[in-house]
Amino acid sequence: MHRLLNFILPLAFIAAGCSSDQPAVTLKEHFKNDFLIGAAIPVDHVKGLDSKADSIVRRHFNSIVAENCMKSEKINPEEGVYFWDDADAFVDYGQRNGMAIIGHTLVWHSQLAPWFPLDSAGNYVTPEILKERMRTHIATVVGRYKGKIKGWDVVNEAILEDGSYRPSPFYDILGEEFIPLAFEYAHEADPDAELYINDFSMANPHKRERYIRIVNDLKERGLRIDGIGMQGHMGMDYPPLEQFEKSIEEFGKTGLHVMITEWDMSALPTVHEGADINKVMENKELYNPYVDSLPSEISEQWNKRMSECLAMFRRHADVISRVTLWGTHDGMSWRNDFPMFGRTDYPLPFDRNYMLKPAFKNEIARNK
Ligand code: GLA
């Protein structure tokens, strides 16, 4: 009997999503007094096609954001045409599991439904028409999930590295006003939902200053804004963590929540901005050096830098209300295909065998 139990118990443990070197305490338990801990999830996961990722999410995370299915090209592909299946399944999944559901994203130049800013001749529509389209899109999407979504990324990636406004259909047609308008429409559609502005490279001082001005302007106009999302797509050599921390502090001083919204860290050599992507592709082996596994010294560096980030987030738990990873396990990360296709990257807390990595295990072990 004793020998039988020795055989059955480990099997039961593995079946329950644990393994002997995996912590008994979950991430959401560990961070329960600090901030929500979330993950972006794709549709196949919501639909039960990645059952191991599903058990990771239910076990460790108390917040989710849709990786793609709420972006306008997916949810509103033609004027007046809405595709709800995936977003409904995502929201239903979050509700069934009692999670804080984040809507992503309402106004964004990328993955924008092509019809949105154009007339039938392919020219930009007038400001009045674009306003009407924004209002209708936001009212319809936010309205459908009213009372179910905790907060929305209302505007995504509006500012360039030099702090100026990004040229985009929204900016080109409406100028700076597109931001306050988007917040006004979102609040109209669900007065109880939290509203966020979200961007990458938030450690950059130009972006930091610009966002503080935007947030103060929205507040002065009496518009609702609850949080600033710092995407947190990182690499081993960027951003400088002291600058990232400075942004957390300065954003926190605005009185809004600070959120780390799309955290991941590439373990691969950085394909520098401005690099000619064709040349990079020719040198793919140089930029994709760890096809079989991550060498232990690189893994140690990655885990050390992730631990530094976790400590930084904890230091600022008074202003950080949520930390969301952009995915769960390395095999599903967008970073395997960005900024070049077909690399093998290691950016997420769980490895390709769905095992929690040392930075996070050590973080949990701090509580013992
Ligand atoms: C941006 C967007 C996200 C996602 C990631 C990468 O940061 O905000 O929706 O597309 O890029 O996948």
Coordinates of all heavy atoms in Angstrom, one line a residue, residues 65-68 71 104-105 108 110-111 153 156-157 198-200 231-233 261-262 264 326 333-335 338, ligand 1:
V65 N -6.4 40.0 -19.6 CA -6.6 41.0 -20.6 C -6.6 40.2 -21.9 O -5.9 39.2 -22.0 CB -5.6 42.1 -20.6 CG1 -4.2 41.6 -20.8 CG2 -5.8 43.2 -21.7
A66 N -7.4 40.6 -22.9 CA -7.5 39.8 -24.2 C -6.3 40.2 -25.0 O -6.0 41.4 -25.2 CB -8.8 40.2 -24.9
E67 N -5.6 39.2 -25.5 CA -4.4 39.5 -26.3 C -4.8 40.2 -27.6 O -4.1 41.1 -28.0 CB -3.6 38.2 -26.6 CG -2.2 38.5 -27.2 CD -1.4 37.2 -27.4 OE1 -1.9 36.1 -27.3 OE2 -0.2 37.4 -27.8
N68 N -5.8 39.7 -28.2 CA -6.2 40.3 -29.5 C -7.6 40.6 -29.8 O -8.0 41.4 -30.6 CB -5.6 39.5 -30.7 CG -4.1 39.6 -30.8 OD1 -3.6 40.7 -31.0 ND2 -3.4 38.5 -30.8
K71 N -9.5 44.0 -30.1 CA -9.0 45.1 -31.0 C -9.9 45.3 -32.1 O -10.6 44.4 -32.6 CB -7.6 44.7 -31.5 CG -6.6 44.6 -30.3 CD -5.3 44.0 -30.7 CE -4.3 44.0 -29.5 NZ -3.1 43.3 -29.8
H104 N -9.1 45.7 -23.8 CA -7.9 46.2 -24.5 C -8.2 46.0 -26.0 O -8.3 44.9 -26.5 CB -6.7 45.4 -24.1 CG -5.4 45.7 -24.8 ND1 -4.6 46.8 -24.5 CD2 -4.8 45.1 -25.9 CE1 -3.6 46.8 -25.3 NE2 -3.7 45.8 -26.2
T105 N -8.3 47.1 -26.8 CA -8.1 48.5 -26.5 C -9.0 49.2 -27.4 O -9.4 48.7 -28.5 CB -6.6 48.9 -26.7 OG1 -6.5 50.3 -26.5 CG2 -6.1 48.5 -28.0
W108 N -6.6 52.8 -31.1 CA -5.2 52.5 -31.3 C -5.0 52.5 -32.8 O -5.8 51.9 -33.6 CB -5.0 51.1 -30.7 CG -3.6 50.6 -30.8 CD1 -2.4 51.4 -30.7 CD2 -3.1 49.2 -30.9 NE1 -1.3 50.6 -30.7 CE2 -1.7 49.3 -30.8 CE3 -3.7 48.0 -31.0 CZ2 -0.9 48.1 -30.9 CZ3 -3.0 46.8 -31.0 CH2 -1.6 46.9 -31.0
S110 N -2.8 50.8 -34.5 CA -2.4 49.5 -35.0 C -3.5 48.5 -34.8 O -4.3 48.7 -33.9 CB -1.1 49.1 -34.2 OG -0.7 47.9 -34.7
Q111 N -3.5 47.5 -35.6 CA -4.6 46.5 -35.6 C -6.0 47.2 -35.6 O -7.0 46.8 -35.0 CB -4.5 45.6 -34.4 CG -3.3 44.7 -34.6 CD -3.1 43.6 -33.5 OE1 -2.4 43.9 -32.5 NE2 -3.8 42.5 -33.6
D153 N -8.3 49.9 -21.5 CA -7.3 50.7 -22.1 C -8.0 51.5 -23.2 O -8.3 51.0 -24.3 CB -6.2 49.8 -22.8 CG -5.4 49.0 -21.7 OD1 -5.3 49.5 -20.6 OD2 -4.9 48.0 -22.1
N156 N -4.3 53.7 -26.8 CA -3.1 52.9 -26.7 C -2.0 53.6 -27.6 O -2.3 54.0 -28.8 CB -3.4 51.5 -27.2 CG -2.3 50.5 -26.8 OD1 -1.6 50.7 -25.8 ND2 -2.2 49.4 -27.6
E157 N -0.8 53.8 -27.1 CA 0.4 54.1 -27.9 C 0.2 55.4 -28.7 O 0.4 55.5 -30.0 CB 0.7 53.0 -28.9 CG 1.1 51.7 -28.1 CD 1.4 50.5 -28.9 OE1 1.3 50.6 -30.2 OE2 1.9 49.5 -28.3
N198 N -2.4 54.0 -22.1 CA -1.4 52.9 -22.1 C -0.4 53.1 -23.2 O -0.7 53.5 -24.3 CB -2.2 51.6 -22.4 CG -1.4 50.3 -22.2 OD1 -0.7 50.2 -21.1 ND2 -1.4 49.4 -23.1
D199 N 0.9 52.8 -22.9 CA 1.9 53.0 -24.0 C 3.2 52.2 -23.6 O 3.4 51.8 -22.5 CB 2.3 54.5 -24.2 CG 2.7 54.8 -25.6 OD1 3.3 53.9 -26.3 OD2 2.6 55.9 -26.0
F200 N 4.1 52.0 -24.6 CA 5.4 51.4 -24.4 C 6.4 52.5 -24.2 O 6.1 53.7 -24.3 CB 5.7 50.4 -25.5 CG 5.9 51.1 -26.9 CD1 7.0 51.7 -27.3 CD2 4.8 51.0 -27.8 CE1 7.1 52.3 -28.5 CE2 4.9 51.6 -29.0 CZ 6.0 52.3 -29.4
Q231 N 3.6 49.6 -20.5 CA 3.5 48.3 -21.1 C 4.5 47.3 -20.6 O 4.2 46.2 -20.4 CB 3.6 48.4 -22.6 CG 2.3 49.0 -23.3 CD 2.3 48.9 -24.8 OE1 3.3 48.3 -25.4 NE2 1.3 49.4 -25.4
G232 N 5.8 47.8 -20.5 CA 6.8 46.9 -19.9 C 7.2 45.8 -20.8 O 7.6 44.7 -20.3
H233 N 7.3 46.0 -22.1 CA 8.0 45.1 -23.0 C 9.5 45.4 -22.9 O 9.9 46.5 -23.4 CB 7.5 45.2 -24.5 CG 6.1 44.9 -24.6 ND1 5.6 43.6 -24.4 CD2 5.0 45.6 -25.1 CE1 4.3 43.6 -24.6 NE2 3.9 44.8 -25.0
T261 N 1.4 46.9 -17.6 CA 0.3 46.3 -18.3 C 0.7 45.2 -19.3 O -0.2 44.3 -19.7 CB -0.5 47.3 -19.2 OG1 0.4 48.0 -19.9 CG2 -1.3 48.2 -18.3
E262 N 1.9 45.2 -19.8 CA 2.2 44.2 -20.8 C 3.7 43.7 -20.6 O 4.5 43.9 -21.4 CB 2.1 44.8 -22.2 CG 0.7 45.3 -22.5 CD 0.5 45.8 -23.9 OE1 1.3 45.5 -24.8 OE2 -0.4 46.6 -24.2
D264 N 6.9 41.7 -20.3 CA 7.7 40.5 -20.7 C 9.1 41.0 -20.9 O 9.4 42.2 -21.0 CB 7.1 39.8 -22.0 CG 6.9 40.7 -23.2 OD1 7.6 41.8 -23.2 OD2 6.1 40.4 -24.1
W326 N 2.5 39.8 -20.4 CA 1.9 39.7 -21.8 C 2.0 38.3 -22.2 O 2.7 37.9 -23.1 CB 2.5 40.7 -22.7 CG 1.6 40.9 -23.9 CD1 1.8 40.5 -25.2 CD2 0.3 41.6 -23.9 NE1 0.7 40.8 -26.0 CE2 -0.2 41.5 -25.2 CE3 -0.5 42.2 -22.9 CZ2 -1.5 42.0 -25.5 CZ3 -1.7 42.7 -23.2 CH2 -2.2 42.6 -24.5
S333 N 4.5 33.3 -26.7 CA 4.8 34.7 -26.7 C 4.9 35.3 -28.1 O 5.6 34.8 -29.0 CB 6.0 35.0 -25.9 OG 6.4 36.4 -26.1
W334 N 4.4 36.5 -28.3 CA 4.5 37.3 -29.5 C 6.0 37.6 -29.8 O 6.4 37.8 -30.9 CB 3.7 38.6 -29.4 CG 4.3 39.6 -28.5 CD1 4.5 39.5 -27.2 CD2 4.9 40.9 -28.9 NE1 5.2 40.7 -26.7 CE2 5.4 41.5 -27.7 CE3 5.0 41.6 -30.1 CZ2 6.0 42.8 -27.7 CZ3 5.6 42.8 -30.1 CH2 6.1 43.4 -29.0
R335 N 6.8 37.5 -28.7 CA 8.2 37.9 -28.9 C 9.0 36.9 -29.7 O 10.1 37.2 -30.2 CB 8.8 38.2 -27.6 CG 8.0 39.3 -26.9 CD 8.8 40.1 -25.9 NE 9.8 40.9 -26.6 CZ 10.4 42.0 -26.0 NH1 9.9 42.5 -24.9 NH2 11.3 42.7 -26.6
F338 N 8.7 38.8 -33.0 CA 8.9 40.3 -33.1 C 10.1 40.7 -32.4 O 10.4 40.2 -31.3 CB 7.7 41.0 -32.4 CG 7.7 42.5 -32.7 CD1 7.1 43.0 -33.8 CD2 8.3 43.3 -31.8 CE1 7.2 44.4 -34.0 CE2 8.4 44.7 -32.0 CZ 7.8 45.2 -33.1
Ligands
GLA1 C1 1.4 46.3 -28.0 C2 -0.1 46.2 -27.8 C3 -0.6 44.8 -27.5 C4 0.1 43.8 -28.2 C5 1.6 43.9 -28.0 C6 2.4 42.9 -28.7 O1 2.1 46.5 -26.9 O2 -0.6 47.1 -26.9 O3 -2.0 44.8 -27.7 O4 -0.2 43.8 -29.6 O5 2.0 45.1 -28.5 O6 1.7 41.8 -29.1

